[in-house]
């Protein structure tokens, strides 16, 4: 007796000529419609509402569209980083005013040549601080190079500007690695530094969304000397961890002398403003190698396959 299933066409594979039809789009893409939607001359004036909503910049910039713009600033860097395979980052914060050593040295020599005592004093102070630029540059190179073979490589992310931010992107760039820059539109124009990977150079309007992207993928926060912006980002991250809103991760402060003179952390404990255990939220470090050592101990970077979270966290 013939098996009825043997004559059935239900198991037949589609002809190769028709495979594309099974997955073809049923509608044109938004890009195609945006290109095709050229308004008739009667409706191409600035007062016309004929433009597609998602191509109408004037419409998108209305106050009522703020929630949409915030969603876009969350989504764009998120989707691109996913496409680039970026899962773990180390955030480097610090002053935009700290110079590379060679530039700082040139300013000292210029001030000496001009016989300007005030300029010389400022230039010598800048030269002393330039050590942090070089440390950030070295640290970023170490992170990029030593995590390259990890199951989950670690990428440096900075605020995308000059100073310590430039040093972080530069260190990663100099060892052939990618790095991320999260720039912000400011009244005094901030240009991205030239060392950010172009496809990972983002620009933000909303500080809050930018700061969210700093911490979303971060496995550590590394703070070099800085001003109000650095302090804002440091204390916000510590508050998130202290209150349990964010998982615990290393916070490294480069330069104990700078930070202890700037912030009397012990005074906060002595006056009951924080708990003694809160002093364990951060570590002081002095060199790039020391900073990497703290991270290696915390995450168990014992081999090429090591990755963040593979070992219990210790502080």
């Amino acid at each position: 007796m013939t098996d009825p299933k043997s004559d059935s066409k239900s198991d037949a594979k589609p002809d190769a000529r028709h495979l594309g039809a099974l997955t073809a789009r049923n509608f044109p893409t938004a890009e195609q419609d945006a290109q095709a939607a050229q308004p008739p001359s009667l409706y191409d004036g600035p007062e016309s509402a004929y433009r597609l909503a998602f191509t109408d910049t004037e419409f998108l910039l209305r106050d009522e569209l703020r929630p949409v713009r915030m969603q876009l600033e969350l989504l764009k860097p998120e989707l691109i980083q996913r496409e680039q395979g970026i899962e773990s980052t180390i955030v480097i914060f610090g002053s935009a005013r700290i110079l590379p050593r060679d530039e700082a040295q040139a300013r000292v020599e210029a001030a000496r040549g001009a016989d300007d005592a005030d300029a010389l004093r400022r230039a010598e102070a800048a030269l002393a601080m330039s050590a942090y630029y070089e440390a950030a540059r070295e640290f970023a190179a170490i992170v990029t190079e030593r995590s390259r073979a990890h199951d989950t490589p670690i990428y440096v992310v900075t605020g995308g500007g000059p100073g310590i931010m430039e040093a972080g992107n530069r260190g990663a760039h100099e060892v052939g690695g990618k790095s991320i820059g999260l720039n912000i539109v400011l009244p005094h124009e901030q240009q991205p530094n030239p060392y950010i990977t172009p496809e990972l150079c983002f620009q933000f309007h909303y500080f809050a969304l930018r700061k969210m992207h700093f911490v979303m993928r971060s496995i550590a926060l590394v703070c070099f000397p800085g001003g109000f912006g650095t302090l804002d980002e440091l204390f916000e991250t510590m508050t998130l961890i202290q209150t349990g809103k964010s998982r615990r991760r290393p916070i490294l402060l480069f330069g104990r002398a700078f930070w202890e003179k700037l912030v009397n952390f012990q005074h906060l404990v002595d006056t009951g403003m924080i708990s003694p255990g809160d002093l364990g939220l951060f570590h002081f470090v002095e060199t790039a190698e020391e900073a990497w050592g703290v991270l290696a101990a915390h995450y168990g970077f014992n081999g090429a396959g090591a990755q963040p979270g593979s070992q219990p966290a210790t502080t």
Side-chain angles (χ1 to χ4, degrees):
M1 185 175 180
T2 303
D3 186 347
K5 293 183 179 179
S6 64
D7 293 331
S8 172
K9 295 183 180 180
S10 61
D11 294 332
K13 294 182 179 180
D15 188 284
R17 294 172 297 173
H18 302 292
L19 284 175
L22 297 177
T23 57
R25 294 183 63 94
N26 289 326
F27 303 99
T29 66
E31 182 180 4
Q32 289 169 333
D33 268 359
Q35 292 173 349
Q38 298 300 321
S41 59
L42 182 62
Y43 299 103
D44 64 358
E47 74 286 353
S48 174
Y50 187 81
R51 290 185 297 280
L52 286 168
F54 54 81
T55 66
D56 189 340
T57 303
E58 185 176 342
F59 172 69
L60 290 173
L61 295 179
R62 290 174 57 155
D63 285 348
E64 297 88 343
L65 271 290
R66 182 177 292 116
V68 175
R69 294 195 299 273
M70 295 179 76
Q71 185 177 21
L72 291 173
E73 285 210 346
L74 177 64
L75 274 173
K76 181 179 178 180
E78 172 65 17
L79 294 177
I80 291 175
Q81 287 180 87
R82 283 188 190 179
E83 291 167 359
Q84 293 287 323
I86 295 171
E87 297 180 25
S88 297
T89 62
I90 285 179
V91 185
I92 296 179
F93 288 133
S95 175
R97 305 182 186 193
I98 294 179
L99 302 173
R101 182 179 291 123
D102 56 353
E103 187 176 336
Q105 183 64 54
R107 292 193 181 189
V108 168
E109 293 168 2
R112 283 177 179 158
D115 196 24
D116 186 332
D118 288 338
L120 180 59
R121 184 168 57 253
R122 291 192 299 270
E124 288 176 338
L127 179 59
M129 295 300 289
S130 71
Y132 291 111
Y133 181 103
E134 302 306 328
R137 180 178 171 185
E138 180 186 359
F139 175 71
I142 288 173
V143 168
T144 304
E145 211 162 28
R146 296 186 189 176
S147 75
R148 204 190 304 270
H150 288 189
D151 295 340
T152 305
I154 305 168
Y155 298 88
V156 166
V157 56
T158 79
I164 293 297
M165 296 175 280
E166 176 186 287
N169 296 119
R170 182 177 179 179
H173 175 78
E174 288 174 336
V175 295
K178 293 182 177 182
S179 69
I180 304 158
L182 306 183
N183 288 74
I184 187 83
V185 177
L186 298 173
H188 48 91
E189 187 176 2
Q190 176 186 304
Q191 292 293 331
N193 70 67
Y195 302 104
I196 306 166
T197 302
E199 61 267 32
L200 295 171
C201 185
F202 302 102
Q203 185 170 207
F204 288 83
H205 171 68
Y206 298 104
F207 264 104
L209 272 299
R210 178 183 184 237
K211 289 197 286 187
M212 187 170 182
H213 274 289
F214 275 130
V215 299
M216 281 175 66
R217 287 174 165 78
S218 68
I219 67 161
L221 169 68
V222 181
C223 266
F224 288 81
F228 292 156
T230 302
L231 293 172
D232 172 46
E233 290 145 349
L234 167 63
F235 281 103
E236 181 159 341
T237 304
M238 286 204 293
T239 301
L240 288 171
I241 294 174
Q242 181 202 45
T243 57
K245 290 293 289 183
S246 174
R247 70 175 175 85
R248 198 177 185 93
R249 72 202 79 177
I251 297 174
L252 309 183
L253 305 183
F254 258 82
R256 177 188 288 267
F258 174 88
W259 288 105
E260 288 191 332
K261 186 173 183 179
L262 180 66
V263 184
N264 189 339
F265 293 103
Q266 187 59 49
H267 180 62
L268 294 174
V269 174
D270 294 342
T271 55
M273 299 298 101
I274 63 174
S275 301
D278 290 334
L279 296 181
L281 290 173
F282 56 87
H283 302 264
F284 294 113
V285 294
E286 303 299 330
T287 67
E289 286 289 354
E290 183 184 0
W292 177 256
V294 173
L295 297 178
H298 185 98
Y299 287 111
F301 293 149
N302 296 319
Q307 57 183 322
S310 61
Q311 298 290 332
T314 58
T315 303

